[in-house]
C-alpha cells in the first residue's frame, strides 16, 4: 500500500495551528505503570506529542513520513527525529517502553503497523493510539447553533474531498483492530481559546480543505468565515476537541 502524505505541502500552517493534547491524557497513559526510558512517537508531524513525552522519558524517537514536517518540529535534547514509514522502521527489536500515534493511525496499513509495534516494543510495553473528532463550537446567542454550520461545512462543502480513511475518525477507531492485552478506552477534551482567524487557519490544515483548494483553486474557508463572523464577532471563543484514546499492552 502506497503511504499517504497529506501534510508536507502546508507543514508551516500545520505547525502553527494543529492542536496539542491535554495533560490529563498523558497522566492517564503514564498511570499504567510505563517504564520511562524509551518512547516512540509514530507519525509525529511537528512533534506535538514528542515534545510532551520528552518531559517524562530519557529518550524519545519520533518518526514521520514527511521530512518537511520534521524540519519544523519542536526541538528538545531528548527527541531524536528521523524520516520513516510507520510500518517499517530502523529500530532494533525490543526497544521501546511506550509507543504512541496521535491522529494518524487511519493513514496506516494498520496490520503491518501493529506487527512492527510488536517487534520494536519491549515485553510489557504500552501502546497508545488516539485521535480527535469534529471540533465543537457550541451555541451562539443570539444566532444559530454554530456546530450545525460546522457540520454542514464538514459534510457537504468539503465532505467529498475527505479521503475514505476519515470514516475511521468519525467512528473513533472502533472499526480498526486493536489486538493488544488489557485494552482500555478513555475520552478527553482539548480546549483552545481562539479568534475566528485562528480557528479558520486551523481548518486550513484539514486534508479535505487542502484537496478542495487544489482541485477548485479557491479557499472554501473564506465562505465559512462569512457565515461564522456575525456570531463569532471580534472576540476569542473557546472551542472543544473531543479526544478518543485506546491503550493496551504488548
Amino acid at each position: 500500500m502506497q503511504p499517504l502524505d497529506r501534510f508536507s505541502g502546508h507543514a508551516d500552517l500545520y505547525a502553527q495551528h494543529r492542536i496539542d493534547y491535554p495533560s490529563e491524557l498523558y497522566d492517564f497513559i503514564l498511570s499504567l505503570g510505563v517504564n520511562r526510558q524509551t518512547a516512540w512517537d509514530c507519525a509525529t508531524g511537528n512533534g506535538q506529542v514528542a515534545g510532551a513525552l520528552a518531559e517524562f522519558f530519557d529518550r524519545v524517537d519520533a518518526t514521520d513520513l514527511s521530512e518537511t514536517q520534521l524540519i519544523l518540529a519542536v526541538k528538545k535534547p531528548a527527541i531524536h527525529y528521523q524520516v520513516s514509514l510507520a510500518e517499517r522502521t530502523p529500530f532494533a527489536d525490543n526497544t521501546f517502553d511506550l509507543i504512541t500515534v496521535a491522529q494518524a493511525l487511519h493513514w496506516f496499513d494498520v496490520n503491518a503497523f501493529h506487527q512492527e509495534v510488536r517487534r520494536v516494543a519491549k515485553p510489557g510495553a504500552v501502546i497508545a493510539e488516539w485521535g480527535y473528532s469534529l471540533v465543537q463550537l457550541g451555541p451562539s446567542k443570539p444566532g444559530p447553533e454554530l456546530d450545525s454550520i460546522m457540520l454542514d461545512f464538514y459534510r457537504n462543502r468539503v465532505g467529498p474531498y475527505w479521503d475514505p480513511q476519515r470514516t475511521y475518525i468519525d467512528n473513533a477507531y472502533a472499526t480498526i483492530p486493536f489486538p493488544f492485552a488489557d485494552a482500555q478506552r478513555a475520552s478527553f477534551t482539548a480546549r483552545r481559546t481562539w479568534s475566528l482567524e485562528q480557528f479558520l487557519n486551523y481548518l486550513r490544515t484539514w486534508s479535505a480543505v487542502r484537496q478542495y483548494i487544489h482541485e477548485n483553486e479557491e479557499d472554501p474557508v473564506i465562505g465559512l468565515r462569512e457565515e461564522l463572523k456575525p456570531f463569532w464577532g471580534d472576540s476569542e471563543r473557546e472551542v472543544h476537541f473531543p479526544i478518543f484514546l485506546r491503550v493496551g499492552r504488548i
Side-chain angles (χ1 to χ4, degrees):
M1 186 170 88
Q2 183 68 25
L4 294 173
D5 180 359
R6 291 289 187 262
F7 304 102
S8 288
H10 58 288
D12 54 344
L13 198 66
Y14 192 101
Q16 294 178 60
H17 299 290
R18 274 291 170 129
I19 69 166
D20 50 13
Y21 303 99
S23 59
E24 293 84 0
L25 181 147
Y26 297 105
D27 291 342
F28 178 84
I29 294 171
L30 294 173
S31 74
L32 301 175
V34 181
N35 189 313
R36 301 189 185 187
Q37 291 182 329
T38 54
W40 169 30
D41 182 41
C42 183
T44 194
N46 298 129
Q48 291 94 338
V49 175
L53 295 179
E55 300 301 312
F56 303 103
F57 286 81
D58 296 335
R59 178 184 174 102
V60 177
D61 284 282
T63 61
D64 201 275
L65 184 65
S66 169
E67 183 176 11
T68 307
Q69 290 269 44
L70 297 182
I71 289 170
L72 297 174
V74 59
K75 305 299 189 294
K76 292 185 178 181
I79 306 175
H80 302 265
Y81 291 108
Q82 59 183 308
V83 175
S84 176
L85 298 174
E87 302 86 352
R88 188 171 63 254
T89 70
F91 305 126
D93 295 358
N94 304 322
T95 296
F96 297 108
D97 301 295
L98 174 68
I99 296 170
T100 59
V101 54
Q103 196 70 359
L105 181 71
H106 49 290
W107 299 113
F108 299 171
D109 178 336
V110 174
N111 290 334
F113 170 64
H114 285 163
Q115 184 176 351
E116 184 70 351
V117 165
R118 291 185 181 280
R119 184 185 70 81
V120 302
K122 295 177 184 177
V126 169
I127 177 169
E129 301 172 344
W130 68 89
Y132 53 90
S133 306
L134 182 62
V135 60
Q136 297 176 348
L137 301 179
S140 175
K141 296 180 181 179
E145 286 282 341
L146 294 182
D147 285 331
S148 66
I149 296 175
M150 275 305 306
L151 188 61
D152 179 69
F153 180 80
Y154 175 73
R155 287 181 174 173
N156 300 319
R157 187 66 187 276
V158 300
Y161 299 88
W162 287 110
D163 289 280
Q165 292 89 335
R166 180 67 193 185
T167 59
Y168 293 123
I169 289 287
D170 292 336
N171 295 329
Y173 289 169
T175 58
I176 299 179
F178 192 65
F180 300 101
D182 303 327
Q184 301 182 56
R185 281 187 168 266
S187 300
F188 303 90
T189 301
R191 294 174 171 83
R192 297 292 176 273
T193 302
W194 279 344
S195 67
L196 178 57
E197 293 307 317
Q198 287 174 306
F199 175 68
L200 296 176
N201 280 328
Y202 155 72
L203 296 183
R204 290 185 174 104
T205 70
W206 284 8
S207 60
V209 170
R210 307 313 301 179
Q211 189 63 23
Y212 185 105
I213 293 171
H214 174 73
E215 293 189 23
N216 298 284
E217 298 184 348
E218 67 175 33
D219 182 358
V221 171
I222 294 174
L224 180 64
R225 182 185 188 279
E226 298 310 307
E227 291 187 69
L228 295 177
K229 176 66 175 176
F231 312 109
W232 196 298
D234 296 324
S235 60
E236 294 184 332
R237 182 181 187 89
E238 186 173 271
V239 299
H240 294 175
F241 295 85
I243 298 169
F244 53 89
L245 168 73
R246 61 186 195 176
V247 295
R249 199 171 295 276
I250 293 88

